[in-house]
Amino acid sequence: MVSESVLEVHGLTKVFRVPRRRAEPFVAVRDVSFTLGHGEVVALVGESGSGKTTIGRMLAGIETPTEGSIRLSEESAERSGRSLRQRVQMVFQDPYAALNPFNRISYTISRPIINYHQMNNAAALERAREILGTVQLIPADEYLEKRPHQLSGGQRQRVVIARALAASPEIVIADEPVSMLDVSIRADVLRLLRDLLDQKKVSAMLYITHDLLSARLLAQRIMVLYRGNVVEIGETETLLTNPLHPYTKLLWSAIPNPRRAAEGKAMVIPTAGTGDIPKHGCPFAPRCPLADERCQVEMPPLEERTNQHAVACHMVEGV
């Protein structure tokens, strides 16, 4: 495990309130805490609507937390908004929507360089060439004068990654970066993200995904999120070979695996339950076949069960 943290998150909570309506506030993220170490990739895994992107947007300074703290290498993010935006950059899911269709690639990449590093246009353009080489868009001069519509989806996503690198960030938040790409090029983009850490272009990465297989390829640790709550966190191989929470088992069992089925090791998929989410209990209780009365009224705490493997489940002994 890593020893020194690049990022420390404590009690991160985000509540969305609808003005002029009587609807109850929506808790998108609830009391999330974790660290990112030097050279580490942590995968944030969960289905759509689990709060993954909201966490990423708060870390990047796009959304303001309702509660909690974010600390970057001994510096509180609240004290330096511009520093946070420079030191934490996002790679967005949709490479088609993430780029201004009217701007040439040269402008897209050079503007962050000029803004954050006070370089002149010529120096910024030269630096843009270097960054395009880093993301394997070579020769760079063939791409600089193109616009997004002249690029493939994979090339656009590499430009999005290059734009994030232009700020020289410490941390990259990759939000479903391969979900909209052809299967044939997903592995190349994942390999590129891994190379950024190996080559020390960035210090750490938060990888947001719903896909446990890609998380297994890229991340040292996995954090499983359900309706804004961390339900399980642990080292990747430990968590995937011995998932403890029923929701983690649901995600893992949803991946087709003929060998696992043939060996009789297929996990039981929790049935989709009915009823409202308990106001004070476990949010997964309506879908969990193991839930009892305690699960309906008491939120399970996130507790370490084995070395560096924590789960939030009252029924973990029976899981």
Side-chain angles (χ1 to χ4, degrees), residues 173-317:
I173 299 171
D175 185 5
E176 300 270 14
V178 299
S179 64
M180 297 190 69
L181 303 180
D182 292 340
V183 174
S184 59
I185 59 176
R186 290 181 182 180
D188 290 338
V189 174
L190 289 175
R191 192 176 301 112
L192 169 60
L193 293 174
R194 181 71 254 177
D195 288 345
L196 296 181
L197 285 154
D198 293 342
Q199 298 170 11
K200 302 188 186 307
K201 303 295 183 182
V202 296
S203 296
M205 186 177 301
L206 182 69
Y207 176 59
I208 297 173
T209 185
H210 63 275
D211 179 14
L212 281 170
L213 287 182
S214 66
R216 187 177 201 171
L217 291 173
L218 194 61
Q220 288 90 5
R221 285 190 295 148
I222 292 177
M223 183 165 56
V224 182
L225 202 71
Y226 185 76
R227 291 191 177 271
N229 299 272
V230 177
V231 297
E232 189 166 358
I233 184 170
E235 293 184 349
T236 297
E237 287 305 313
T238 300
L239 186 144
L240 294 181
T241 55
N242 183 34
L244 298 177
H245 198 280
Y247 178 62
T248 309
K249 291 190 174 188
L250 169 63
L251 293 176
W252 188 235
S253 295
I255 301 171
N257 189 326
R259 179 190 297 178
R260 188 171 60 209
E263 293 175 353
K265 296 181 180 179
M267 301 175 187
V268 177
I269 301 176
T271 56
T274 59
D276 296 331
I277 298 173
K279 188 171 184 179
H280 301 291
C282 175
F284 192 65
R287 299 177 62 184
C288 182
L290 302 175
D292 60 10
E293 293 183 2
R294 182 184 181 191
C295 302
Q296 301 292 334
V297 298
E298 182 182 337
M299 176 75 78
L302 186 67
E303 296 180 333
E304 189 170 292
R305 300 291 176 167
T306 59
N307 185 33
Q308 298 169 343
H309 187 181
V311 63
C313 181
H314 294 307
M315 310 300 292
V316 68
E317 293 181 355

Side-chain angles (χ1 to χ4, degrees), residues 47-269:
E47 60 194 17
S48 297
S50 61
K52 307 186 302 295
T53 296
T54 301
I55 290 175
R57 290 171 65 88
M58 285 191 286
L59 298 183
I62 301 171
E63 294 280 357
T64 303
T66 305
E67 296 179 12
S69 65
I70 303 167
R71 297 187 68 87
L72 289 164
S73 300
E74 304 301 325
E75 180 179 344
S76 174
E78 293 119 342
R79 292 201 299 269
S80 181
R82 182 175 175 85
S83 176
L84 173 64
R85 288 191 293 272
Q86 180 178 359
R87 297 168 71 187
V88 181
Q89 289 285 308
M90 286 195 75
V91 173
F92 296 95
Q93 175 180 5
D94 187 351
Y96 297 90
L99 299 174
N100 188 322
F102 299 104
N103 291 340
R104 297 184 189 276
I105 304 307
S106 57
Y107 180 89
T108 297
I109 300 177
S110 63
R111 287 313 302 175
I113 298 172
I114 294 171
N115 290 341
Y116 289 123
H117 301 294
Q118 290 76 50
M119 291 185 180
N120 59 38
N121 289 336
L125 192 60
E126 185 58 34
R127 175 61 181 149
R129 289 190 179 94
E130 295 175 7
I131 295 173
L132 286 177
T134 298
V135 299
Q136 300 165 16
L137 289 177
I138 49 178
D141 287 335
E142 289 189 9
Y143 296 93
L144 284 171
E145 295 309 307
K146 290 185 177 181
R147 290 188 169 88
H149 74 272
Q150 297 174 293
L151 305 177
S152 68
Q155 290 170 338
R156 290 188 192 198
Q157 193 60 295
R158 290 175 188 272
V159 171
V160 174
I161 295 170
R163 182 178 60 185
L165 294 177
S168 301
E170 292 179 41
I171 299 168
V172 163
I173 299 171
D175 185 5
E176 300 270 14
V178 299
S179 64
M180 297 190 69
L181 303 180
D182 292 340
V183 174
S184 59
I185 59 176
R186 290 181 182 180
D188 290 338
V189 174
L190 289 175
R191 192 176 301 112
L192 169 60
L193 293 174
R194 181 71 254 177
D195 288 345
L196 296 181
L197 285 154
D198 293 342
Q199 298 170 11
K200 302 188 186 307
K201 303 295 183 182
V202 296
S203 296
M205 186 177 301
L206 182 69
Y207 176 59
I208 297 173
T209 185
H210 63 275
D211 179 14
L212 281 170
L213 287 182
S214 66
R216 187 177 201 171
L217 291 173
L218 194 61
Q220 288 90 5
R221 285 190 295 148
I222 292 177
M223 183 165 56
V224 182
L225 202 71
Y226 185 76
R227 291 191 177 271
N229 299 272
V230 177
V231 297
E232 189 166 358
I233 184 170
E235 293 184 349
T236 297
E237 287 305 313
T238 300
L239 186 144
L240 294 181
T241 55
N242 183 34
L244 298 177
H245 198 280
Y247 178 62
T248 309
K249 291 190 174 188
L250 169 63
L251 293 176
W252 188 235
S253 295
I255 301 171
N257 189 326
R259 179 190 297 178
R260 188 171 60 209
E263 293 175 353
K265 296 181 180 179
M267 301 175 187
V268 177
I269 301 176

